[in-house]
Amino acid sequence: AYGAWLLRDTVLPEISERAMSCFQDWLGYFASAPLAQNNWNLFWIVNHTARKALGWDYEQDTIGAAWEMIDGCHRGDGWMTDGPEQFFDDYNWWVFGVHEMFWMQMDGEANPERCALVGDRIRNRLEIYPYFFGQDGSVSEYGRSLSYKFARLACPILAYKLGLWPHSTGMLKRLVRKQLAFYDNNGA
């Protein structure tokens, strides 16, 4: 859904009416299940928000209910837990941070109060982000998902783009360079 929003002016106009209808039905299908009690609500938020931004059918009530659950995951200082289980892991960077910023890009202007709340959470969370990395670019490996570990740099990079990165540009460049080099030097 977010990818479609990013390609709204380039690729989407080239897609046939039938293919577009199938795509919209597919997105609708995957955002119609009951809401979960975890980070998956961000997937519903992004799906419905992208469809809203594209002028397609969406459910504002689903977006609102999903945000209520996500807000309940906040545990202070910007930190999110994955529902009632109290897991703290790389979801804070990839799922929470990135998907919250997807929403900010697509619909943040329509809800400046929520945008400020989410932006503050992300900025607060990223205050300690550099401390997870060693001087050599290594990082404390924690969490449940390998793909989310690979995506841990997406949050600070997108935060930088949106003006939410609370550190210097040099700090971000160093973290990205060192992290990628660390994995490259270790056979990634």
Side-chain angles (χ1 to χ4, degrees):
Y2 177 70
W5 177 80
L6 287 173
L7 300 172
R8 65 195 175 278
D9 297 326
T10 55
V11 174
L12 288 188
E14 303 298 320
I15 296 176
S16 74
E17 189 175 314
R18 167 111 172 90
M20 186 66 72
S21 177
C22 289
F23 180 60
Q24 290 175 19
D25 289 347
W26 181 78
L27 287 176
Y29 174 80
F30 284 103
S32 63
L35 292 174
Q37 294 300 309
N38 56 37
N39 71 77
W40 287 13
N41 286 289
L42 284 161
F43 305 145
W44 272 255
I45 290 168
V46 169
N47 184 313
H48 285 276
T49 300
R51 291 188 287 145
K52 175 183 178 183
L54 292 167
W56 302 344
D57 289 339
Y58 70 98
E59 297 172 12
Q60 187 64 44
D61 289 345
T62 298
I63 296 171
W67 271 123
E68 281 184 43
M69 193 278 152
I70 293 299
D71 289 342
C73 293
H74 185 238
R75 296 297 182 259
D77 296 322
W79 279 91
M80 310 297 280
T81 185
D82 192 16
E85 298 164 344
Q86 304 279 339
F87 290 117
F88 293 94
D89 61 14
D90 276 330
Y91 284 22
N92 272 277
W93 316 120
W94 171 238
V95 179
F96 287 104
V98 172
H99 289 75
E100 289 167 322
M101 287 185 280
F102 289 170
W103 171 83
M104 291 174 78
Q105 290 177 290
M106 295 184 293
D107 201 37
E109 289 181 9
N111 191 337
E113 186 176 302
R114 170 155 301 285
C115 196
L117 172 80
V118 170
D120 286 346
R121 281 196 308 227
I122 293 167
R123 201 176 292 104
N124 286 338
R125 197 177 316 140
L126 288 171
E127 278 290 334
I128 62 164
Y129 186 79
Y131 300 109
F132 283 87
F133 294 84
Q135 186 175 358
D136 63 353
S138 61
V139 70
S140 177
E141 297 293 351
Y142 69 106
R144 301 171 276 162
S145 175
L146 190 58
S147 62
Y148 290 4
K149 292 175 191 327
F150 294 151
R152 75 171 45 102
L153 295 173
C155 182
I157 292 169
L158 188 53
Y160 175 79
K161 178 181 178 180
L162 299 182
L164 299 172
W165 175 246
H167 304 285
S168 70
T169 304
M171 171 68 80
L172 180 60
K173 287 180 179 180
R174 179 180 170 85
L175 286 174
V176 170
R177 181 175 44 82
K178 290 285 197 170
Q179 168 86 122
L180 294 176
F182 176 79
Y183 283 112
D184 185 48
N185 293 335
N186 287 285

